[in-house]
Amino acid sequence: MTETGGALLAPLDPTGLPAAPVVAEPDLVAAVRSRPDVTRWVWRSTAEIYPRLLAVGVPVDRCYDIEVAESLLLAHEGRLGEPRSAAAAHARLRGAPVPPDPPARSAEPGSQSSLFEPSSGTRLPFEDLLQVYADQLRRHDATEHPGRMRLLTAAESAGMLVAAEMNSSGLPWRADVHRQVLDELLGERYAGGGEPRRLAELADEVSAAFGRRVRPDLPADVVKAFAQAGIKVKSTRRWELEELDHPAVQPLVQYKKLYRIWTAHGWSWLQDWVRDGRFRPEYLPGGTVSGRWTTNGGGALQIPKVIRRAVVADEGWRLVVADADQMEPRVLAAISRDRGLMEVAGHDGDLYTALSDRAFHGDRDHAKIALLGAVYGQTSGDGLKNLAALRRRFPLAVAYVDDAAKAGEDGRLVRTWLGRTSPPAVGSGADEEAGIPQESADPPLADSGFTPGYASSNARARGRFTRNFVVQGSAADWALLLLAALRRSLGSAGLRAELVFFQHDEVIVHCPQEEAETVVEAIRAAGELAGRTAFGETPVRFPFTTAVVERYSDAK
DNA sequence: TAAATTGGCGCC
DNA sequence: AAAGGGCGCCAATTTA
């Protein structure tokens, strides 16, 4: 894309070199529209180009996003955090000074238009961009598993297409229903602003219980009030308050719950984010280091359950809500190749029940806690007690996450199955070069090997992070492939169905009622295909709990 | 005065 | 029941 909205184009050979002379086209949209035979577009940034195409109804099948690839490759090379723009990549290639990335755009409601803003990278000469691409192909080849790394880049690029398409479609959102929910929960708003009636009442109840004015939204005030009542409390977290025997607790907890809805998903959120019956979050694929998506503004991945009543299909349409069942344990089975766990994950039924039948005398709760504890690095409680049983029955699975934890404690990198790579440890060489100061919370001796078996709290925290990273991140690998497969299958089946929401292990497809069963099957097939594509042939199944509903809130 | 951090809770 | 992993968002407070 050029500064005037045109484009420079060239067909590329498999090594990334132009197979024909470069063509200058005055209009990007027309240029793409007139080439339906192109199977894959290589471009600098999907986020900048694709919304313009979608806005005029010109979708593309596949793409290769050079800046996405640069991020993934940098991380794999242990250089996460270095500038990722195409211009920066080219500067590194030439050994020239590397320009910093432009600052991230802040959230902007109704964000399609904000995606149009060209970044400084736009000015990179076309020949330089081609050099970066060819170099990236070579860097893929130099990774531990080139095939997987190429797949990761392809999948993340597809994710960028999905993200732009979901922003364009929008999630069906009934503002009138949302307002009704707010009225029921919060009561009416007083003229002139301030908190709504129900919150004001609850605040009064809290104050009455303490015998003085207390502001429930100020933790320091609440802690002080409890202290004056002779109750020592370290924080005002809900589970801690609920332990207390005091008349302020109930209204306090209720206040916090409603206050959160008011501030995060209340009337002003509605005003900012819902237009013409659609909520259009700006999705950022790979927004977290583990590969999970984030959204920029709008809190789309944290929609409170009670607010989901406002997500309503259009007249005659349905929402197909599909939730991957126990995704992370199934992914652990696939990546560790633990025979016992693969066997447990080789059925569509409840995984924790199968697990408890094998190793926990039928105690499903213990089985679940043990497995989640292993994945999350639990340090105390029942999970730890049951870890021994888990290790005995599923040695490869536990060893897989233990090895990842050890790597983290030792300051080494870990990777997901497809090759997404953890950030370098704080204080490692890469960080020092980048000028990031070293943490100094722990005494130097703790990490120096004089105390075998003991790791500093920083090292242990990093171990928990890398332990979880390999599972959460490999699950994100799978989810990306799921989206890519589902997108292709919906697109090729001549359906009107649209992918409208994605949240880690859950998708929502909006479709005419008569397409719903086809969509359910498409999702199921995409999940299995994603499993095979990501992890190869394993016995592990990737089933979904699927609901065809008119309202999102009816799905669970 | 603006930026960064903290506490709390929503989601997975 | 609580506590392990990942986030975003808000208001208040602290820091630069």
Side-chain angles (χ1 to χ4, degrees), chain A residues 71-131:
Chain A
S71 280
L72 295 170
L73 288 165
L74 279 174
H76 195 280
E77 294 155 0
R79 300 156 70 188
L80 196 72
E82 291 188 33
R84 46 155 283 183
S85 70
H90 188 255
R92 275 190 293 268
L93 210 49
R94 290 188 332 198
V98 176
D101 285 341
R105 277 176 301 99
S106 58
E108 190 181 315
S111 57
Q112 308 106 300
S113 57
S114 67
L115 290 171
F116 294 168
E117 294 163 19
S119 79
S120 58
T122 309
R123 289 188 291 277
L124 186 68
F126 190 69
E127 295 69 26
D128 295 351
L129 190 63
L130 290 180
Q131 282 177 24

Side-chain angles (χ1 to χ4, degrees), chain A residues 172-513:
Chain A
W173 199 284
R174 284 273 297 273
D176 57 330
V177 176
H178 189 159
R179 279 192 207 97
Q180 190 186 328
V181 172
L182 294 178
D183 285 344
E184 284 169 18
L185 291 173
L186 302 174
E188 62 273 14
R189 289 169 290 172
Y190 293 124
E195 56 190 5
R197 178 178 51 78
R198 186 74 192 115
L199 280 179
E201 289 169 359
L202 286 165
D204 289 344
E205 284 180 45
V206 171
S207 294
F210 282 121
R212 72 166 178 88
R213 188 73 204 160
V214 173
R215 286 192 54 188
D217 55 324
L218 299 186
D221 202 17
V222 172
V223 170
K224 204 188 303 171
F226 273 117
Q228 284 164 358
I231 298 174
K232 264 185 275 180
V233 58
K234 289 197 297 293
S235 76
T236 62
R237 290 189 174 85
R238 196 177 68 237
W239 61 80
E240 198 166 333
L241 294 184
E242 281 170 349
E243 295 301 299
L244 308 176
D245 181 24
H246 190 279
V249 169
Q250 195 273 331
L252 199 48
V253 168
Q254 186 64 13
Y255 181 96
K256 285 161 162 297
K257 195 184 186 66
L258 295 180
Y259 177 82
R260 159 121 189 123
I261 288 166
W262 178 48
T263 57
H265 286 92
W267 291 276
S268 56
W269 181 92
L270 192 52
Q271 181 75 35
D272 287 344
W273 287 99
V274 177
R275 288 263 184 292
D276 303 323
R278 292 291 186 272
F279 169 41
R280 303 174 187 279
E282 182 185 340
Y283 293 91
L284 302 177
T288 78
V289 288
S290 65
R292 278 189 173 186
W293 293 25
T294 59
T295 59
N296 194 357
L301 305 186
Q302 297 96 227
I303 302 168
K305 294 239 161 82
V306 285
I307 300 296
R308 296 178 181 187
R309 264 170 59 195
V311 181
V312 184
D314 290 350
E315 190 69 36
W317 286 51
R318 293 292 182 272
L319 299 168
V320 180
V321 181
D323 207 304
D325 298 330
Q326 308 98 28
M327 173 176 67
E328 293 187 352
R330 290 175 190 277
V331 165
L332 175 58
I335 62 181
S336 68
R337 299 299 209 250
D338 184 285
R339 289 182 62 175
L341 196 57
M342 285 198 293
E343 158 76 26
V344 165
H347 309 274
D348 287 358
D350 179 65
L351 181 139
Y352 297 117
T353 301
L355 188 66
S356 63
D357 288 347
R358 269 184 149 254
F360 292 89
H361 312 293
D363 188 332
R364 183 184 182 280
D365 287 349
H366 278 169
K368 180 175 179 175
I369 288 168
L371 190 53
L372 292 178
V375 171
Y376 288 156
Q378 193 168 19
T379 55
S380 64
D382 283 354
L384 207 60
K385 273 184 275 173
N386 292 310
L387 188 60
L390 200 68
R391 183 175 278 119
R392 204 159 48 243
R393 301 295 184 123
F394 309 104
L396 287 187
V398 176
Y400 196 93
V401 288
D402 281 352
D403 287 351
K406 180 68 165 51
E409 287 176 5
D410 293 349
R412 305 192 322 266
L413 301 174
V414 295
R415 307 188 198 284
T416 67
W417 186 257
L418 292 188
R420 193 186 304 270
T421 304
S422 63
V426 170
S428 76
D431 270 354
E432 279 160 18
E433 282 161 32
I436 296 169
Q438 203 161 343
E439 286 179 28
S440 57
D442 288 299
L445 267 185
D447 273 327
S448 62
F450 291 115
T451 50
Y454 175 78
S456 77
S457 64
N458 276 345
R460 278 183 278 114
R462 180 158 175 85
R464 286 194 298 275
F465 168 67
T466 51
R467 171 190 293 272
N468 185 252
F469 180 95
V470 295
V471 180
Q472 186 187 109
S474 297
D477 290 348
W478 173 83
L480 261 187
L481 293 175
L482 163 73
L483 287 175
L486 180 58
R487 172 180 185 272
R488 287 189 76 75
S489 116
L490 294 181
S492 64
L495 302 173
R496 289 194 285 165
E498 285 182 323
L499 196 46
V500 293
F501 188 69
F502 167 60
Q503 184 181 41
H504 311 314
D505 62 352
E506 179 181 356
V507 295
I508 301 181
V509 175
H510 187 221
C511 66
Q513 182 184 353

